[in-house]
Amino acid sequence: MMNRSTIALDLEHSYAEQLPDFFAEVWPTPVRNPGLLQFNQSLARELGLDTKALSVEVAPQIFSGNEVPCDARPIAQAYAGHQFGNFVPQLGDGRAMLLGEVIDCHGVRRDIGLKGSGRTPFSRGGDGKAGVGPVLREYLLGEAMHALGVPTTRALAAVSTGEPIMRERPLPGAVLTRVAASHVRVGTFQYFAARRQFEHIRTLADYVIRRHYPKSFEDDQPYLALLRNVVESQAVLLARWMLVGFIHGVMNTDNTTISGETIDYGPCAFMDSYDPRTVFSSIDHAGRYAFGNQPGVALWNLTRFAETLLPLLDQEAGEQASADATAVLETFVPTFQQHWYQGALAKLGLADPDKPGSLSASERTLVDDWHELLAEHAVDYTLAWRFLAEAAEGNADKLESLFAASTELDEWLKRWRAIQNGMASPPLASAIRSANPLYIPRNHLVEEAIAAASDDGDLRPFESLLKVVQAPFDEHPAYARYATPATQEFTANYKTFCGT
Ligand code: AMP
Ligand code: MG
Protein backbone atom coordinates (compact mmCIF):
# COMPACT_ATOMS: atom_id res chain seq x y z
CA MET A 1 0.00 0.00 0.00
CA MET A 2 1.46 3.34 -1.04
CA ASN A 3 0.02 6.03 1.22
CA ARG A 4 0.52 9.62 0.16
CA SER A 5 -0.14 12.31 2.72
CA THR A 6 -1.66 15.66 1.85
CA ILE A 7 1.22 17.20 3.84
CA ALA A 8 4.04 18.77 1.83
CA LEU A 9 7.45 19.49 3.35
CA ASP A 10 8.68 21.74 0.52
CA LEU A 11 11.00 18.99 -0.59
CA GLU A 12 13.43 19.25 -3.47
CA HIS A 13 15.23 16.37 -5.15
CA SER A 14 18.59 17.49 -6.45
CA TYR A 15 20.20 14.09 -5.75
CA ALA A 16 17.46 12.09 -7.49
CA GLU A 17 17.26 14.49 -10.42
CA GLN A 18 20.97 15.03 -11.02
CA LEU A 19 22.22 11.52 -10.22
CA PRO A 20 19.66 9.24 -11.91
CA ASP A 21 21.82 6.07 -11.73
CA PHE A 22 22.79 6.40 -8.10
CA PHE A 23 19.81 5.01 -6.20
CA ALA A 24 16.80 2.73 -6.17
CA GLU A 25 13.23 3.99 -5.84
CA VAL A 26 11.74 2.63 -2.63
CA TRP A 27 8.73 2.96 -0.41
CA PRO A 28 8.58 2.77 3.40
CA THR A 29 6.98 -0.30 4.92
CA PRO A 30 3.83 0.71 6.86
CA VAL A 31 3.90 0.11 10.59
CA ARG A 32 1.15 -0.97 12.92
CA ASN A 33 0.86 1.74 15.54
CA PRO A 34 3.22 4.69 15.24
CA GLY A 35 3.77 6.85 18.31
CA LEU A 36 5.90 9.95 18.56
CA LEU A 37 8.81 9.35 20.95
CA GLN A 38 10.53 12.66 20.30
CA PHE A 39 10.29 15.58 17.92
CA ASN A 40 13.03 18.16 17.47
CA GLN A 41 11.12 21.46 17.40
CA SER A 42 14.15 23.70 17.15
CA LEU A 43 15.62 21.71 14.26
CA ALA A 44 12.21 21.71 12.55
CA ARG A 45 12.13 25.51 12.79
CA GLU A 46 15.69 25.74 11.49
CA LEU A 47 14.60 23.65 8.50
CA GLY A 48 11.65 25.97 7.91
CA LEU A 49 9.11 23.18 8.35
CA ASP A 50 5.50 24.08 9.05
CA THR A 51 5.42 22.68 12.59
CA LYS A 52 1.71 23.48 12.98
CA ALA A 53 0.86 21.19 10.08
CA LEU A 54 2.88 18.46 11.78
CA SER A 55 0.37 17.97 14.58
CA VAL A 56 0.61 15.17 17.14
CA GLU A 57 -1.73 13.13 14.93
CA VAL A 58 0.13 13.76 11.68
CA ALA A 59 3.78 13.67 12.81
CA PRO A 60 3.88 9.96 13.80
CA GLN A 61 2.32 8.98 10.47
CA ILE A 62 4.82 11.04 8.47
CA PHE A 63 7.93 10.16 10.48
CA SER A 64 7.19 6.44 10.62
CA GLY A 65 6.82 6.35 6.84
CA ASN A 66 3.15 5.30 7.14
CA GLU A 67 2.23 8.35 5.14
CA VAL A 68 4.71 9.79 2.68
CA PRO A 69 4.65 13.58 2.22
CA CYS A 70 3.00 14.41 -1.11
CA ASP A 71 6.21 16.00 -2.39
CA ALA A 72 8.58 13.23 -1.22
CA ARG A 73 10.40 10.93 -3.62
CA PRO A 74 11.74 8.10 -1.45
CA ILE A 75 15.03 6.63 -2.64
CA ALA A 76 17.72 4.34 -1.22
CA GLN A 77 21.21 5.50 -2.16
CA ALA A 78 23.83 3.15 -3.56
CA TYR A 79 27.25 3.00 -1.93
CA ALA A 80 30.13 0.62 -1.26
CA GLY A 81 32.68 0.75 1.53
CA HIS A 82 35.69 -0.56 3.35
CA GLN A 83 34.41 -2.19 6.53
CA PHE A 84 37.24 -2.77 9.01
CA GLY A 85 39.64 -2.55 6.08
CA ASN A 86 37.82 -5.02 3.81
CA PHE A 87 36.22 -3.71 0.66
CA VAL A 88 32.52 -4.51 0.16
CA PRO A 89 31.52 -3.43 -3.38
CA GLN A 90 27.84 -3.10 -2.56
CA LEU A 91 26.34 -1.83 0.66
CA GLY A 92 23.84 0.99 0.09
CA ASP A 93 20.93 2.19 2.21
CA GLY A 94 19.72 -1.10 3.60
CA ARG A 95 17.32 0.53 6.01
CA ALA A 96 17.42 4.21 5.17
CA MET A 97 15.38 6.20 2.66
CA LEU A 98 15.88 9.75 1.55
CA LEU A 99 12.57 11.61 1.34
CA GLY A 100 14.08 14.70 -0.22
CA GLU A 101 15.93 17.91 0.59
CA VAL A 102 14.88 21.21 2.14
CA ILE A 103 16.63 24.56 2.05
CA ASP A 104 17.07 25.58 5.70
CA CYS A 105 16.85 29.07 7.19
CA HIS A 106 20.55 29.63 6.47
CA GLY A 107 20.04 28.78 2.81
CA VAL A 108 21.74 25.39 3.21
CA ARG A 109 20.36 22.32 1.45
CA ARG A 110 19.71 19.53 3.97
CA ASP A 111 18.62 15.92 3.39
CA ILE A 112 15.66 14.53 5.29
CA GLY A 113 15.52 10.74 5.42
CA LEU A 114 14.02 7.89 7.39
CA LYS A 115 16.13 5.20 9.03
CA GLY A 116 14.53 1.90 10.01
CA SER A 117 11.62 2.23 7.57
CA GLY A 118 11.87 -1.22 6.00
CA ARG A 119 13.70 -3.20 3.39
CA THR A 120 15.27 -1.78 0.25
CA PRO A 121 17.08 -3.42 -2.69
CA PHE A 122 20.28 -2.86 -0.63
CA SER A 123 19.09 -4.64 2.53
CA ARG A 124 21.03 -7.85 1.80
CA GLY A 125 20.11 -10.17 4.70
CA GLY A 126 18.78 -7.38 6.93
CA ASP A 127 15.19 -6.57 7.88
CA GLY A 128 15.50 -2.83 7.18
CA LYS A 129 14.33 -2.06 10.69
CA ALA A 130 15.65 -0.30 13.78
CA GLY A 131 14.90 -0.52 17.50
CA VAL A 132 13.76 2.09 20.01
CA GLY A 133 17.09 1.83 21.86
CA PRO A 134 19.47 2.50 18.95
CA VAL A 135 17.13 5.15 17.50
CA LEU A 136 17.04 7.11 20.76
CA ARG A 137 20.77 6.64 21.16
CA GLU A 138 21.41 8.20 17.75
CA TYR A 139 19.00 11.03 18.60
CA LEU A 140 20.71 11.78 21.91
CA LEU A 141 24.31 11.51 20.73
CA GLY A 142 23.66 13.66 17.67
CA GLU A 143 22.05 16.40 19.75
CA ALA A 144 24.90 16.24 22.28
CA MET A 145 27.50 16.54 19.52
CA HIS A 146 25.63 19.45 17.97
CA ALA A 147 25.51 21.27 21.32
CA LEU A 148 29.25 20.64 21.71
CA GLY A 149 29.85 22.37 18.38
CA VAL A 150 30.79 19.23 16.44
CA PRO A 151 29.54 19.02 12.82
CA THR A 152 26.93 16.27 12.77
CA THR A 153 23.84 14.79 11.22
CA ARG A 154 20.87 15.31 13.52
CA ALA A 155 17.59 13.69 14.41
CA LEU A 156 14.35 15.43 13.54
CA ALA A 157 12.05 12.78 15.00
CA ALA A 158 11.94 9.38 16.64
CA VAL A 159 8.78 7.32 16.26
CA SER A 160 7.97 3.96 17.80
CA THR A 161 6.31 1.53 15.41
CA GLY A 162 4.24 -0.55 17.81
CA GLU A 163 5.88 -3.63 16.28
CA PRO A 164 8.64 -5.82 17.63
CA ILE A 165 11.87 -6.31 15.74
CA MET A 166 13.70 -9.62 16.00
CA ARG A 167 17.18 -9.39 17.44
CA GLU A 168 18.76 -11.62 20.13
CA ARG A 169 15.42 -11.03 21.80
CA PRO A 170 12.34 -9.20 20.45
CA LEU A 171 12.77 -5.44 20.88
CA PRO A 172 10.37 -2.56 20.26
CA GLY A 173 10.82 -1.10 16.78
CA ALA A 174 11.31 2.55 15.86
CA VAL A 175 12.10 4.85 12.95
CA LEU A 176 14.52 7.77 13.10
CA THR A 177 14.21 10.81 10.86
CA ARG A 178 17.72 11.97 10.05
CA VAL A 179 18.83 15.34 8.74
CA ALA A 180 22.20 15.64 6.99
CA ALA A 181 24.12 18.20 4.94
CA SER A 182 24.04 15.29 2.49
CA HIS A 183 24.37 11.53 2.73
CA VAL A 184 27.17 11.29 0.16
CA ARG A 185 30.02 9.23 1.58
CA VAL A 186 33.48 8.14 0.56
CA GLY A 187 31.73 4.83 -0.10
CA THR A 188 29.43 6.49 -2.67
CA PHE A 189 32.52 7.28 -4.78
CA GLN A 190 33.90 3.80 -4.16
CA TYR A 191 30.72 2.19 -5.51
CA PHE A 192 31.35 3.67 -8.96
CA ALA A 193 35.13 3.34 -8.81
CA ALA A 194 34.73 -0.41 -8.18
CA ARG A 195 32.56 -0.63 -11.31
CA ARG A 196 35.04 1.52 -13.29
CA GLN A 197 32.20 3.95 -14.09
CA PHE A 198 34.42 6.97 -14.32
CA GLU A 199 31.83 9.27 -15.91
CA HIS A 200 29.61 8.57 -12.90
CA ILE A 201 32.45 9.59 -10.61
CA ARG A 202 32.71 12.87 -12.50
CA THR A 203 28.95 13.43 -12.24
CA LEU A 204 29.07 12.69 -8.51
CA ALA A 205 32.13 14.89 -7.96
CA ASP A 206 30.45 17.77 -9.81
CA TYR A 207 27.36 17.28 -7.68
CA VAL A 208 29.21 17.40 -4.34
CA ILE A 209 31.28 20.38 -5.48
CA ARG A 210 28.07 22.26 -6.34
CA ARG A 211 26.48 21.24 -3.09
CA HIS A 212 29.32 21.47 -0.57
CA TYR A 213 32.39 23.15 -2.01
CA PRO A 214 31.25 25.39 -4.90
CA LYS A 215 34.46 27.46 -4.79
CA SER A 216 36.35 24.40 -6.06
CA PHE A 217 35.05 25.19 -9.55
CA GLU A 218 37.07 28.42 -9.49
CA ASP A 219 40.26 26.40 -9.04
CA ASP A 220 42.42 25.40 -12.04
CA GLN A 221 42.02 21.82 -10.84
CA PRO A 222 38.48 21.57 -9.40
CA TYR A 223 38.74 17.88 -8.49
CA LEU A 224 42.01 18.36 -6.66
CA ALA A 225 40.36 21.30 -4.90
CA LEU A 226 37.49 18.99 -3.95
CA LEU A 227 39.96 16.55 -2.41
CA ARG A 228 41.63 19.42 -0.54
CA ASN A 229 38.27 20.57 0.84
CA VAL A 230 37.19 17.11 1.98
CA VAL A 231 40.58 16.50 3.61
CA GLU A 232 40.25 19.78 5.47
CA SER A 233 36.65 19.14 6.59
CA GLN A 234 37.59 15.72 7.92
CA ALA A 235 40.70 17.10 9.67
CA VAL A 236 38.53 19.73 11.39
CA LEU A 237 35.95 17.08 12.31
CA LEU A 238 38.53 14.72 13.77
CA ALA A 239 40.05 17.53 15.84
CA ARG A 240 36.58 18.26 17.27
CA TRP A 241 35.98 14.57 18.07
CA MET A 242 39.33 14.23 19.80
CA LEU A 243 38.82 17.36 21.89
CA VAL A 244 35.54 16.11 23.36
CA GLY A 245 36.60 12.47 23.82
CA PHE A 246 34.25 11.05 21.18
CA ILE A 247 34.86 7.53 19.86
CA HIS A 248 32.93 6.84 16.66
CA GLY A 249 33.46 3.11 16.86
CA VAL A 250 32.85 2.17 13.22
CA MET A 251 34.86 4.52 11.01
CA ASN A 252 34.30 2.58 7.81
CA THR A 253 34.52 4.49 4.52
CA ASP A 254 30.74 4.21 4.13
CA ASN A 255 30.43 6.11 7.40
CA THR A 256 32.77 8.91 6.26
CA THR A 257 30.85 11.85 4.82
CA ILE A 258 32.03 14.15 2.04
CA SER A 259 30.42 17.07 3.91
CA GLY A 260 32.54 16.54 7.03
CA GLU A 261 29.60 15.77 9.31
CA THR A 262 29.62 12.95 11.85
CA ILE A 263 27.30 10.20 10.61
CA ASP A 264 26.01 6.86 11.86
CA TYR A 265 25.84 6.77 15.61
CA GLY A 266 26.11 3.03 16.16
CA PRO A 267 28.67 1.73 18.62
CA CYS A 268 29.96 5.22 19.42
CA ALA A 269 30.63 6.37 22.98
CA PHE A 270 32.34 9.09 24.95
CA MET A 271 35.54 8.18 26.74
CA ASP A 272 35.60 8.66 30.52
CA SER A 273 39.15 8.39 31.86
CA TYR A 274 41.71 9.40 29.31
CA ASP A 275 43.33 6.50 27.49
CA PRO A 276 43.99 6.69 23.74
CA ARG A 277 43.57 2.90 23.51
CA THR A 278 39.93 3.06 24.59
CA VAL A 279 37.55 0.86 22.56
CA PHE A 280 33.92 0.09 23.45
CA SER A 281 32.60 -1.53 20.29
CA SER A 282 31.88 -5.22 20.75
CA ILE A 283 33.00 -6.03 17.21
CA ASP A 284 36.22 -3.99 17.18
CA HIS A 285 38.41 -6.83 18.48
CA ALA A 286 41.70 -5.44 17.18
CA GLY A 287 41.03 -1.89 18.35
CA ARG A 288 41.23 -0.58 14.80
CA TYR A 289 38.90 2.27 15.74
CA ALA A 290 40.31 2.98 19.21
CA PHE A 291 40.12 6.60 20.37
CA GLY A 292 43.74 7.46 19.56
CA ASN A 293 43.66 5.74 16.16
CA GLN A 294 40.86 7.89 14.79
CA PRO A 295 42.88 10.61 12.99
CA GLY A 296 45.00 7.91 11.31
CA VAL A 297 41.88 6.02 10.23
CA ALA A 298 40.36 9.21 8.81
CA LEU A 299 43.48 9.69 6.71
CA TRP A 300 43.28 6.07 5.56
CA ASN A 301 39.65 6.64 4.53
CA LEU A 302 40.58 9.87 2.73
CA THR A 303 43.29 8.00 0.86
CA ARG A 304 40.61 5.61 -0.40
CA PHE A 305 38.61 8.70 -1.49
CA ALA A 306 41.62 10.13 -3.33
CA GLU A 307 42.03 6.83 -5.19
CA THR A 308 38.48 7.08 -6.53
CA LEU A 309 39.26 10.56 -7.87
CA LEU A 310 42.47 9.54 -9.67
CA PRO A 311 40.88 9.19 -13.13
CA LEU A 312 39.60 12.76 -12.83
CA LEU A 313 42.88 14.03 -11.41
CA ASP A 314 44.71 12.31 -14.28
CA GLN A 315 42.72 14.37 -16.75
CA GLU A 316 43.51 17.52 -14.80
CA ALA A 317 47.21 16.98 -14.30
CA GLY A 318 48.41 13.94 -16.25
CA GLU A 319 51.50 12.33 -14.75
CA GLN A 320 51.47 14.85 -11.96
CA ALA A 321 48.09 13.56 -10.65
CA SER A 322 49.16 11.08 -8.04
CA ALA A 323 51.89 13.39 -6.72
CA ASP A 324 49.25 16.15 -6.42
CA ALA A 325 46.86 13.85 -4.56
CA THR A 326 49.63 12.68 -2.25
CA ALA A 327 50.59 16.27 -1.47
CA VAL A 328 47.00 17.06 -0.55
CA LEU A 329 46.73 13.95 1.64
CA GLU A 330 49.92 15.03 3.37
CA THR A 331 48.15 18.19 4.54
CA PHE A 332 45.80 16.11 6.68
CA VAL A 333 48.14 15.63 9.65
CA PRO A 334 49.32 19.26 9.91
CA THR A 335 45.76 20.55 9.42
CA PHE A 336 44.44 18.19 12.05
CA GLN A 337 47.23 19.14 14.45
CA GLN A 338 46.71 22.83 13.87
CA HIS A 339 43.02 22.56 14.74
CA TRP A 340 43.61 20.19 17.59
CA TYR A 341 46.32 22.25 19.27
CA GLN A 342 44.37 25.46 18.78
CA GLY A 343 41.28 23.79 20.24
CA ALA A 344 43.28 22.44 23.16
CA LEU A 345 44.78 25.86 23.77
CA ALA A 346 41.31 27.42 23.85
CA LYS A 347 40.23 24.72 26.32
CA LEU A 348 43.22 25.62 28.51
CA GLY A 349 42.11 29.25 28.38
CA LEU A 350 45.25 30.21 26.50
CA ALA A 351 43.85 31.18 23.10
CA ASP A 352 45.29 34.63 22.57
CA PRO A 353 42.95 36.84 20.50
CA ASP A 354 45.94 39.06 19.66
CA LYS A 355 47.87 36.15 18.17
CA PRO A 356 45.27 33.86 16.58
CA GLY A 357 46.60 30.71 15.03
CA SER A 358 50.04 30.90 16.60
CA LEU A 359 51.42 28.21 18.87
CA SER A 360 54.68 28.50 20.75
CA ALA A 361 56.89 25.55 21.60
CA SER A 362 56.09 25.94 25.30
CA GLU A 363 52.34 25.94 24.58
CA ARG A 364 52.66 22.80 22.48
CA THR A 365 54.61 21.05 25.24
CA LEU A 366 52.06 22.19 27.79
CA VAL A 367 49.25 20.58 25.78
CA ASP A 368 51.25 17.37 25.24
CA ASP A 369 52.24 17.11 28.91
CA TRP A 370 48.65 17.70 30.01
CA HIS A 371 47.53 14.70 27.97
CA GLU A 372 50.40 12.62 29.27
CA LEU A 373 49.40 13.52 32.80
CA LEU A 374 45.76 12.63 32.20
CA ALA A 375 46.75 9.29 30.68
CA GLU A 376 49.18 8.42 33.43
CA HIS A 377 46.62 9.11 36.16
CA ALA A 378 43.61 7.80 34.16
CA VAL A 379 41.77 11.03 34.80
CA ASP A 380 38.24 11.75 33.60
CA TYR A 381 38.75 13.55 30.29
CA THR A 382 35.73 15.84 30.62
CA LEU A 383 36.06 16.88 34.25
CA ALA A 384 39.82 17.47 34.08
CA TRP A 385 39.37 20.22 31.49
CA ARG A 386 36.32 21.65 33.14
CA PHE A 387 37.91 21.93 36.59
CA LEU A 388 40.64 24.13 35.11
CA ALA A 389 38.06 26.91 35.41
CA GLU A 390 38.16 26.74 39.22
CA ALA A 391 41.93 26.41 39.07
CA ALA A 392 42.01 29.66 37.06
CA GLU A 393 40.04 31.24 39.90
CA GLY A 394 42.74 30.10 42.32
CA ASN A 395 41.17 26.90 43.63
CA ALA A 396 42.65 23.69 42.21
CA ASP A 397 41.05 21.39 44.80
CA LYS A 398 38.48 19.87 42.46
CA LEU A 399 41.10 19.28 39.78
CA GLU A 400 43.54 17.76 42.29
CA SER A 401 40.83 15.44 43.58
CA LEU A 402 40.87 13.70 40.18
CA PHE A 403 44.54 12.77 40.60
CA ALA A 404 45.93 10.13 42.95
CA ALA A 405 48.99 12.30 43.60
CA SER A 406 49.32 15.95 42.75
CA THR A 407 53.09 16.67 42.52
CA GLU A 408 53.24 16.40 38.73
CA LEU A 409 49.96 18.28 38.39
CA ASP A 410 51.27 21.10 40.59
CA GLU A 411 54.38 21.37 38.44
CA TRP A 412 52.19 21.50 35.31
CA LEU A 413 49.86 24.10 36.85
CA LYS A 414 52.88 26.33 37.55
CA ARG A 415 53.81 26.28 33.88
CA TRP A 416 50.17 26.88 32.88
CA ARG A 417 50.04 29.93 35.16
CA ALA A 418 53.37 31.21 33.86
CA ILE A 419 52.01 31.22 30.30
CA GLN A 420 48.83 32.94 31.49
CA ASN A 421 50.84 35.65 33.22
CA GLY A 422 52.63 36.38 29.96
CA MET A 423 49.34 37.07 28.17
CA ALA A 424 47.95 40.56 27.54
CA SER A 425 44.54 39.43 28.82
CA PRO A 426 44.74 36.39 31.11
CA PRO A 427 42.01 33.80 30.70
CA LEU A 428 38.73 34.17 32.47
CA ALA A 429 37.25 31.14 34.18
CA SER A 430 34.07 31.81 32.21
CA ALA A 431 35.97 31.42 28.92
CA ILE A 432 37.36 28.08 30.11
CA ARG A 433 33.85 27.00 31.10
CA SER A 434 32.43 27.87 27.73
CA ALA A 435 35.15 25.81 26.00
CA ASN A 436 34.82 22.74 28.25
CA PRO A 437 31.51 20.97 28.78
CA LEU A 438 30.50 19.81 32.22
CA TYR A 439 28.01 17.33 30.77
CA ILE A 440 28.58 14.71 28.09
CA PRO A 441 26.26 11.79 27.38
CA ARG A 442 27.91 9.49 29.88
CA ASN A 443 27.63 5.86 28.92
CA HIS A 444 25.87 4.65 32.08
CA LEU A 445 23.30 7.45 31.79
CA VAL A 446 22.70 6.79 28.10
CA GLU A 447 22.13 3.09 28.81
CA GLU A 448 19.84 3.86 31.74
CA ALA A 449 17.75 6.30 29.67
CA ILE A 450 17.50 3.92 26.73
CA ALA A 451 16.61 0.92 28.87
CA ALA A 452 13.79 2.87 30.55
CA ALA A 453 12.40 3.92 27.15
CA SER A 454 12.87 0.60 25.40
CA ASP A 455 11.96 -1.83 28.20
CA ASP A 456 9.38 0.20 30.15
CA GLY A 457 8.16 2.82 27.69
CA ASP A 458 9.32 5.47 30.16
CA LEU A 459 10.77 8.46 28.29
CA ARG A 460 11.44 10.65 31.34
CA PRO A 461 15.10 9.66 31.89
CA PHE A 462 15.76 10.13 28.17
CA GLU A 463 14.15 13.58 28.13
CA SER A 464 16.03 14.70 31.25
CA LEU A 465 19.36 13.55 29.84
CA LEU A 466 18.59 15.14 26.46
CA LYS A 467 17.89 18.47 28.17
CA VAL A 468 21.20 18.32 30.03
CA VAL A 469 23.36 17.41 27.02
CA GLN A 470 21.67 20.09 24.90
CA ALA A 471 23.16 22.74 27.24
CA PRO A 472 26.43 21.05 28.19
CA PHE A 473 28.32 24.13 29.33
CA ASP A 474 25.73 25.49 31.80
CA GLU A 475 26.23 24.19 35.31
CA HIS A 476 23.05 23.43 37.21
CA PRO A 477 23.18 22.23 40.85
CA ALA A 478 20.26 19.85 40.26
CA TYR A 479 22.26 18.06 37.55
CA ALA A 480 25.18 16.91 39.71
CA ARG A 481 24.57 13.27 38.91
CA TYR A 482 24.84 13.94 35.17
CA ALA A 483 28.40 15.20 35.64
CA THR A 484 29.50 12.17 37.65
CA PRO A 485 31.55 9.52 35.84
CA ALA A 486 30.42 5.89 35.80
CA THR A 487 32.08 3.51 38.23
CA GLN A 488 35.31 1.96 37.00
CA GLU A 489 33.59 -1.40 37.04
CA PHE A 490 30.84 -0.17 34.70
CA THR A 491 33.34 1.30 32.26
CA ALA A 492 35.62 -1.74 32.32
CA ASN A 493 32.71 -3.95 31.24
CA TYR A 494 30.99 -1.52 28.90
CA LYS A 495 30.35 -2.75 25.36
CA THR A 496 28.56 -1.01 22.50
CA PHE A 497 26.82 -2.56 19.52
CA CYS A 498 26.27 -1.64 15.90
CA GLY A 499 22.62 -0.92 16.49
CA THR A 500 21.21 -3.04 13.70
P1 AMP B 1 26.18 0.50 9.47
O1 AMP B 1 27.08 -0.41 10.22
O2 AMP B 1 24.98 0.97 10.26
O3 AMP B 1 26.91 1.66 8.85
O4 AMP B 1 25.56 -0.34 8.29
C1 AMP B 1 26.34 -0.99 7.31
C2 AMP B 1 25.43 -1.48 6.20
O5 AMP B 1 24.49 -2.42 6.68
C3 AMP B 1 24.62 -0.40 5.50
O6 AMP B 1 24.54 -0.74 4.16
C4 AMP B 1 23.28 -0.51 6.17
O7 AMP B 1 22.23 0.00 5.38
C5 AMP B 1 23.16 -2.00 6.38
N1 AMP B 1 22.26 -2.35 7.48
C6 AMP B 1 22.49 -2.19 8.80
N2 AMP B 1 21.45 -2.63 9.52
C7 AMP B 1 20.53 -3.11 8.65
C8 AMP B 1 19.25 -3.71 8.77
N3 AMP B 1 18.67 -3.94 9.96
N4 AMP B 1 18.61 -4.06 7.63
C9 AMP B 1 19.16 -3.85 6.44
N5 AMP B 1 20.36 -3.31 6.24
C10 AMP B 1 21.05 -2.93 7.34
MG1 MG C 1 26.54 3.29 7.85
Side-chain angles (χ1 to χ4, degrees):
M1 210 172 43
M2 310 224 312
N3 280 327
R4 278 284 182 189
S5 166
T6 53
I7 298 281
L9 298 180
D10 275 334
L11 295 170
E12 298 185 3
H13 306 286
S14 73
Y15 187 97
E17 285 161 7
Q18 295 171 38
L19 303 171
D21 301 326
F22 292 58
F23 60 85
E25 306 250 4
V26 291
W27 201 261
T29 305
V31 304
R32 195 182 301 152
N33 186 18
L36 198 58
L37 296 169
Q38 206 64 215
F39 184 71
N40 196 333
Q41 286 287 351
S42 74
L43 179 58
R45 280 194 297 274
E46 188 180 319
L47 297 176
L49 300 183
D50 178 358
T51 48
K52 285 210 193 72
L54 296 167
S55 63
V56 283
E57 293 80 37
V58 172
Q61 299 296 337
I62 297 284
F63 298 115
S64 63
N66 259 10
E67 288 182 17
V68 174
C70 60
D71 54 356
R73 180 175 172 186
I75 60 168
Q77 299 182 345
Y79 54 84
H82 275 93
Q83 299 189 308
F84 289 89
N86 304 308
F87 186 64
V88 184
Q90 179 165 319
L91 291 165
D93 286 333
R95 56 168 173 167
M97 300 178 185
L98 181 64
L99 295 178
E101 306 136 15
V102 293
I103 308 298
D104 74 10
C105 67
H106 312 290
V108 177
R109 182 177 296 274
R110 314 264 294 267
D111 279 5
I112 301 183
L114 304 176
K115 183 170 172 183
S117 48
R119 287 179 54 81
T120 78
F122 302 110
S123 296
R124 297 174 291 160
D127 60 1
K129 305 229 162 116
V132 166
V135 160
L136 290 180
R137 197 162 200 286
E138 174 149 1
Y139 194 119
L140 187 77
L141 272 286
E143 287 308 283
M145 293 284 270
H146 174 70
L148 292 169
V150 185
T152 182
T153 62
R154 293 177 69 188
L156 177 63
V159 175
S160 57
T161 60
E163 294 172 5
I165 60 166
M166 293 309 156
R167 296 296 182 261
E168 271 172 21
R169 60 186 169 110
L171 294 171
V175 177
L176 181 81
T177 303
R178 180 165 64 184
V179 174
S182 84
H183 284 83
V184 181
R185 313 136 193 272
V186 167
T188 320
F189 282 83
Q190 289 181 297
Y191 182 90
F192 298 100
R195 288 161 182 73
R196 307 188 63 77
Q197 292 176 308
F198 301 130
E199 276 314 305
H200 283 62
I201 295 178
R202 182 191 305 280
T203 309
L204 181 60
D206 289 345
Y207 177 81
V208 296
I209 291 177
R210 278 195 299 278
R211 186 158 175 183
H212 297 299
Y213 307 107
K215 284 211 171 72
S216 301
F217 281 131
E218 293 165 21
D219 200 285
D220 290 343
Q221 300 180 36
Y223 302 119
L224 190 66
L226 168 62
L227 177 61
R228 195 178 301 121
N229 278 302
V230 176
V231 166
E232 183 178 4
S233 301
Q234 285 288 331
V236 170
L237 179 67
L238 267 288
R240 301 297 315 161
W241 284 5
M242 301 306 282
L243 290 165
V244 297
F246 176 75
I247 309 170
H248 184 281
V250 59
M251 283 181 72
N252 295 331
T253 56
D254 51 302
N255 294 335
T256 304
T257 58
I258 297 302
S259 68
E261 281 186 345
T262 312
I263 198 169
D264 248 339
Y265 291 92
C268 62
F270 278 75
M271 179 174 59
D272 331 44
S273 53
Y274 181 67
D275 180 351
R277 292 165 303 182
T278 307
V279 176
F280 291 116
S281 169
S282 57
I283 56 169
D284 190 2
H285 306 295
R288 179 181 172 91
Y289 300 141
F291 178 73
N293 288 353
Q294 296 186 119
V297 173
L299 177 57
W300 192 89
N301 292 346
L302 289 164
T303 307
R304 305 288 80 75
F305 176 53
E307 285 163 2
T308 71
L309 293 180
L310 274 177
L312 306 183
L313 300 177
D314 268 338
Q315 288 180 355
E316 279 182 349
E319 282 178 2
Q320 192 51 35
S322 78
D324 284 352
T326 306
V328 169
L329 289 168
E330 281 170 356
T331 64
F332 178 85
V333 171
T335 309
F336 165 76
Q337 288 195 345
Q338 160 81 10
H339 286 273
W340 186 76
Y341 276 109
Q342 284 307 329
L345 220 52
K347 284 164 75 75
L348 292 177
L350 301 179
D352 195 334
D354 298 331
K355 289 183 277 170
S358 75
L359 185 77
S360 69
S362 60
E363 287 169 335
R364 185 183 279 257
T365 319
L366 191 78
V367 171
D368 291 344
D369 291 352
W370 171 245
H371 283 84
E372 215 165 280
L373 208 55
L374 300 185
E376 195 182 316
H377 293 262
V379 175
D380 186 83
Y381 195 59
T382 305
L383 295 183
W385 292 101
R386 177 76 182 193
F387 291 167
L388 287 167
E390 279 84 8
E393 290 167 335
N395 180 359
D397 291 355
K398 274 164 97 176
L399 181 58
E400 280 175 7
S401 73
L402 301 175
F403 289 76
S406 62
T407 333
E408 287 162 286
L409 174 66
D410 291 342
E411 187 274 327
W412 184 90
L413 285 171
K414 272 194 203 118
R415 284 195 283 147
W416 179 56
R417 294 205 171 97
I419 294 179
Q420 287 173 27
N421 293 336
M423 290 168 71
S425 44
L428 294 171
S430 62
I432 299 179
R433 287 195 184 94
S434 60
N436 296 294
L438 178 57
Y439 310 108
I440 52 163
R442 294 209 174 257
N443 300 319
H444 62 299
L445 300 174
V446 173
E447 294 307 321
E448 179 189 282
I450 282 167
S454 186
D455 300 343
D456 310 325
D458 178 5
L459 279 165
R460 285 169 304 177
F462 173 82
E463 286 175 348
S464 305
L465 181 56
L466 180 63
K467 204 166 120 198
V468 173
V469 299
Q470 280 174 332
F473 302 100
D474 306 339
E475 180 161 14
H476 196 302
Y479 295 163
R481 112 186 180 84
Y482 293 96
T484 309
T487 60
Q488 273 179 13
E489 194 196 356
F490 176 92
T491 300
N493 296 308
Y494 188 54
K495 286 269 167 286
T496 55
F497 301 89
C498 262
T500 53

